Amino acid sequence: MKRPGAILLRSVILFVMIEAVLWGLAALQLISLPSVIPLADFDQAIERVNSGASQRLYELDRWRLTTLRRNAVISYPRHPISAHSAETYTVRTNSAGMRNAEVTYAKPAGLLRIACLGDSSTFGFNVEADDAYPHQLQELLDADYPGRFQVLNFGVPGYASLQGVEHLKHSVLDFHPDVVTFAFGTNDRFWHGPASLSERLRASQSWSGTVSFELRRILNLSATYRALRMLLFHAGALHLDATQPTEQKAGGVVTAVQLEEMENAIAAAGSLAAHAGAAAVVLNIDLNETDAVKASTEGAQRAGLPFVDIVEHLAKRQREYESDLASKHGVAPTTLADRTQKFVFRVIVDGHPKQVSMRHRPFFKTDYTIEALYDDGTHGDEHSGDGVWSLATDYTPGTKVIYSYFSDNGDGKLVREFTDSFVRNGFPMLGSPERGLVLEVGAAHVDVYGTMYLRADHAHPNEEGHGLIAAQVRDAILALPLVRKALGQP
């Protein structure tokens, strides 16, 4: 009979060997080990791109659920890849877990420090760090006030306003900012789950949440445990998001953050900033155009904070762009003069494709319709052979349409407008070439095949869009009394 000590020793040796093999395979990227980190849907969408043990973007955090890993270097594929964009972009975080160059906690004398809080649009999803608006804001301020400002990027993909407040408490204020910009909304209202974000935060911050936090952090060190979780997940016995508290709503799913909670979060952020001697500015960069803008507007007004509607500014530029396109190609803007007029979709296509088609559906339906577009002066097309392909539809004002275009590439195959796409639960997700359009009376729509104007994808700004955001934020910051006084301006 074997001694218990010998059995234990052999078990330990076997465990160490398994760990070494699994970590070795993960290092060679031959297998992918999931993190024990509890991930929300948005986080999973990012992590599924590169989910290897050495390629995680997030780490567990008791106060915020997740934060960005420190000193991470990850190359992500761009999704979607348009005809003119690079295939990848690189994410580097500093020793404080920010997508920023290294920075000291102590602020140099005479320097105005700006902390940009937000979600993936602040972080710079789908673009390089130098193209995200915090970095472009730094360049704009340096051009007029060299050496006077320092801009820090505290954006975290997937964060909602409640996490923004916790981020401000537990990290941002440690850097002694003079100005805090607060830009949340999409994740507050777009995502749904069996428990609200406030419930999840309370569960994580409770004493039981603290015990769970420490346990998962220890388990996260084990490749064997992580591999076992993946096997259970593929077998259908485990869901990757294991952090949902037992409290659930009778309806099954709830919106992540209620509008009133958003308003309270904005007020709390303003109060925290003011207590630390900083000014706050509220931004709306919700390119999904959810009803979060209502809470952002009213929350800023209630808290007496400046509010900058970036989405409205970008929408204005979009309308101007489409009007210029229509004028350039000699077609009348696609407008709805009344609520009975049909909406005409137009797309400008380079080259001479044999056929262009459109895949579309109302937002609230799941079944798509695929129809051919025309460049022959029929079906809503104005000029035959001008490269503007058109389709008159039955859509009327107030309808939200999800759509994408296809063209024949010469060998008889239909090709999506962008590479890669996935749609989950009826929503266009990260990387989807499908776009959402709300039809309005007097609205114009002329699209360009292969590009998204001012956007890297349906939910995030591209380099040019970030530049326009930076200019708007710069103007709002320079108008703050605290900043004007520091610059010696009346």
Side-chain angles (χ1 to χ4, degrees):
M1 183 174 180
K2 294 181 180 179
R3 296 178 180 178
I7 296 175
L8 178 60
L9 178 60
R10 290 186 179 183
S11 299
V12 170
I13 292 174
L14 179 61
F15 175 76
V16 171
M17 291 176 62
I18 294 174
E19 285 283 303
V21 170
L22 290 175
W23 282 116
L25 292 174
L28 294 172
Q29 297 187 354
L30 297 177
I31 64 171
S32 177
L33 295 174
S35 173
V36 184
I37 296 173
L39 298 178
D41 288 344
F42 190 99
D43 306 327
Q44 289 183 37
I46 298 171
E47 290 287 15
R48 71 164 53 95
V49 178
N50 274 322
S51 57
S54 62
Q55 297 292 318
R56 292 182 295 107
L57 179 60
Y58 298 93
E59 62 184 16
L60 192 64
D61 182 80
R62 175 191 174 193
W63 302 107
R64 293 153 284 193
L65 300 182
T66 57
T67 58
L68 299 183
R69 282 180 58 227
R70 294 164 174 79
N71 300 313
V73 181
I74 307 174
S75 179
Y76 284 119
R78 288 182 190 252
H79 294 292
I81 302 172
S82 67
H84 308 293
S85 67
E87 293 187 358
T88 63
Y89 68 103
T90 301
V91 171
R92 291 182 175 86
T93 60
N94 63 17
S95 59
M98 303 153 51
R99 196 182 186 192
N100 212 96
E102 286 296 333
V103 60
T104 61
Y105 285 96
K107 182 178 61 178
L111 189 71
L112 288 167
R113 184 171 274 178
I114 301 168
C116 296
L117 272 78
D119 51 30
S120 51
S121 289
T122 298
F123 171 84
F125 189 82
N126 244 348
V127 300
E128 298 291 347
D130 289 353
D131 294 317
Y133 78 80
H135 190 273
Q136 294 201 50
L137 173 61
Q138 179 75 68
E139 293 180 334
L140 290 176
L141 293 171
D142 284 345
D144 295 326
Y145 305 95
R148 294 302 311 275
F149 289 91
Q150 183 182 54
V151 183
L152 306 182
N153 186 344
F154 284 97
V156 180
Y159 265 20
S161 58
L162 300 182
Q163 288 163 298
V165 173
E166 297 297 328
H167 203 30
L168 187 62
K169 288 180 186 177
H170 298 286
S171 180
V172 177
L173 291 181
D174 292 339
F175 289 86
H176 311 289
D178 298 286
V179 178
V180 173
T181 63
F182 197 78
F184 298 94
T186 296
N187 302 312
D188 291 71
R189 304 297 292 169
F190 191 79
W191 299 106
H192 297 71
S196 68
L197 180 58
S198 60
E199 290 169 343
R200 297 179 65 201
L201 287 171
R202 284 198 300 270
S204 179
Q205 295 170 5
S206 66
W207 70 266
S208 58
T210 301
V211 173
S212 175
F213 169 82
E214 295 298 338
L215 178 60
R216 281 176 288 171
R217 187 163 64 174
I218 293 172
L219 292 174
N220 209 50
L221 301 175
S222 170
T224 305
Y225 180 83
R226 290 162 65 168
L228 179 61
R229 288 185 80 248
M230 179 54 75
L231 291 175
L232 291 173
F233 172 72
H234 286 303
L238 180 70
H239 296 284
L240 285 182
D241 189 349
T243 66
Q244 306 291 3
T246 55
E247 180 182 357
Q248 295 187 10
K249 301 300 181 184
V253 296
V254 293
T255 306
V257 180
Q258 299 301 311
L259 293 178
E260 184 178 358
E261 290 180 313
M262 272 195 69
E263 291 185 33
N264 292 337
I266 289 170
S271 178
L272 286 167
H275 185 73
V281 178
V282 180
L283 311 177
N284 172 33
I285 317 181
D286 177 13
L287 295 185
N288 275 320
E289 299 187 42
T290 71
D291 59 355
V293 64
K294 181 177 184 294
S296 296
T297 306
E298 295 181 2
Q301 184 177 16
R302 192 181 96 192
L305 302 175
F307 174 70
V308 183
D309 194 341
I310 300 293
V311 172
E312 175 54 36
H313 178 70
L314 295 185
K316 179 181 178 182
R317 292 294 295 266
Q318 175 80 31
R319 291 191 293 269
E320 293 171 350
Y321 172 69
E322 292 175 351
S323 179
D324 289 343
L325 281 176
S327 176
K328 176 181 177 181
H329 289 270
V331 296
T334 304
T335 59
L336 298 173
D338 56 57
R339 301 194 66 85
T340 61
Q341 186 175 346
K342 291 184 177 182
F343 192 88
V344 179
F345 283 86
R346 293 193 176 109
V347 59
I348 299 170
V349 186
D350 293 333
H352 303 282
K354 295 179 181 179
Q355 182 60 58
V356 176
S357 301
M358 178 180 174
R359 181 175 183 261
H360 60 92
R361 65 174 174 84
F363 183 74
F364 54 86
K365 291 188 177 180
T366 57
D367 294 331
Y368 285 88
T369 299
I370 297 180
E371 295 186 80
L373 279 75
Y374 298 85
D375 187 17
D376 60 0
T378 67
H379 298 81
D381 184 62
E382 291 190 45
H383 306 298
S384 177
D386 64 351
V388 181
W389 295 72
S390 310
L391 176 66
T393 68
D394 292 327
Y395 292 122
T396 55
T399 305
K400 184 171 184 178
V401 181
I402 304 300
Y403 68 99
S404 61
Y405 295 115
F406 303 79
S407 76
D408 190 317
N409 66 358
D411 60 5
K413 295 180 180 179
L414 290 178
V415 181
R416 280 190 180 275
E417 181 172 358
F418 297 98
T419 63
D420 194 76
S421 167
F422 60 94
V423 176
R424 179 175 178 179
N425 298 329
F427 293 103
M429 299 287 286
L430 301 178
S432 174
E434 297 180 321
R435 314 179 187 191
L437 178 69
V438 179
L439 309 185
E440 300 174 355
V441 171
H445 183 68
V446 183
D447 211 336
V448 177
Y449 189 79
T451 64
M452 282 187 175
Y453 185 61
L454 301 180
R455 300 192 184 208
D457 56 44
H458 78 281
H460 302 97
N462 64 7
E463 293 83 350
E464 185 179 359
H466 276 283
L468 294 176
I469 295 172
Q472 293 288 302
V473 176
R474 172 202 57 192
D475 293 345
I477 287 173
L478 293 178
L480 293 170
L482 179 151
V483 173
R484 296 181 65 85
K485 182 179 179 180
L487 295 176
Q489 299 175 350

